[in-house]
Amino acid sequence: MKKGVLIVLSGFSGAGKGTITKKLLEKYDNYALSISMTTRNPRPGETDGREYFFVDKDTFERHIREDELIEYAQYVGNYYGTPRAYVEEQLNIGKDVILEIEIQGALKIKERFPDTLLLFVSTKNAKVLLERLTGRGTETEEVILNRMKRAAQEAEGMSEYEYIIINDDIDICVEETHSIIQSAKAATIRNEEFITVIQKELKDLSKGEK
């Protein structure tokens, strides 16, 4: 069985990466979502073990010490990280695993796992992003301002990603994201084992070996 692809889906807060992931999981059966761990408080409607694993700071730091996270980072005063065991299990059974994480964590994963596919989700412009954050109605003006400042910082790292996903029409965006992922699976960096095997087979056959 061919190993799955590790996909990092990052993006500005409010750009819609969570919605994209949800629709990919609903529409296709080859995806698995890695649930992140965080020390932030749940938002209304969020459930522990579904959107995130919600833990306190001491628990999170214990996971760091015991090397049980693929990556972790701090964002707006809270820890976010990716538990290792579930990701490895899903990849090994052929699932394409989606990680919804911030840019700091994304670049750490890419450094450790070079064949990771990096996708960045954005709105079509900054004004739309601000409107979406304000329209949530769940955060204070101060928090929204901090998220916009953070978005400005994150924009400096967009060129580190392989693809930019513009979320204007969500249904079109989901189809484009799926197509990008499926095409990227054929990239040489994600088929090094196949290349090595067929090179050896061809060399052997060209020598008359069977």
Side-chain angles (χ1 to χ4, degrees):
M1 179 181 293
K2 189 173 181 180
K3 190 175 180 180
V5 173
L6 186 58
I7 304 151
V8 169
L9 195 65
S10 302
F12 305 128
S13 178
K17 57 185 180 292
T19 303
I20 293 169
T21 299
K22 181 181 177 182
K23 287 184 174 291
L24 284 171
L25 292 167
E26 289 173 349
K27 190 166 186 177
Y28 304 100
D29 61 6
N30 61 297
Y31 295 112
L33 174 64
S34 172
I35 302 173
S36 295
M37 184 179 294
T38 183
T39 57
R40 79 157 170 79
N41 293 323
R43 292 178 184 145
E46 290 184 332
T47 302
D48 181 54
R50 187 179 65 189
E51 284 80 14
Y52 287 93
F53 295 113
F54 295 100
V55 299
D56 59 28
K57 184 179 178 182
D58 289 343
T59 300
F60 196 102
E61 290 179 343
R62 175 173 57 79
H63 284 286
I64 294 173
R65 290 193 301 272
E66 296 178 2
D67 195 28
E68 294 175 349
L69 302 172
I70 290 178
E71 58 76 38
Y72 67 93
Q74 284 187 294
Y75 174 65
V76 193
N78 288 300
Y79 277 122
Y80 292 80
T82 303
R84 176 190 300 276
Y86 178 79
V87 170
E88 293 180 343
E89 174 188 306
Q90 294 300 305
L91 288 173
N92 287 334
I93 63 172
K95 291 282 188 178
D96 300 325
V97 180
I98 302 174
L99 309 184
E100 284 184 39
I101 57 178
E102 308 302 327
I103 189 168
Q104 288 175 279
L107 297 182
K108 286 179 183 177
I109 286 182
K110 186 70 171 178
E111 185 176 331
R112 293 182 66 181
F113 307 99
D115 61 345
T116 301
L117 175 61
L118 299 186
L119 309 177
F120 193 94
V121 182
S122 175
T123 51
K124 64 181 180 181
N125 57 48
K127 183 179 178 181
V128 170
L129 182 64
L130 179 59
E131 289 172 351
R132 289 186 186 176
L133 287 173
T134 304
R136 280 178 174 175
T138 59
E139 294 160 338
T140 64
E141 288 185 15
E142 181 181 0
V143 171
I144 290 171
L145 180 59
N146 285 337
R147 292 192 183 279
M148 291 300 291
K149 288 179 179 177
R150 177 66 176 179
Q153 295 171 350
E154 289 174 329
E156 298 298 318
M158 290 173 72
S159 59
E160 301 288 339
Y161 286 71
E162 292 172 72
Y163 295 91
I164 303 297
I165 311 287
I166 304 300
N167 183 14
D168 192 20
D169 180 296
I170 186 62
D171 292 325
I172 294 174
C173 181
V174 169
E175 288 302 308
E176 289 178 346
T177 303
H178 177 67
S179 295
I180 287 170
I181 293 168
Q182 297 311 301
S183 296
K185 290 170 75 170
T188 53
I189 194 172
R190 298 177 185 93
N191 289 275
E192 290 179 349
E193 183 178 349
F194 170 77
I195 292 170
T196 300
V197 169
I198 199 165
Q199 285 174 339
K200 182 179 185 306
E201 289 176 346
L202 289 168
K203 285 180 181 178
D204 290 345
L205 289 175
S206 68
K207 295 174 185 177
E209 300 176 9
K210 295 183 181 180

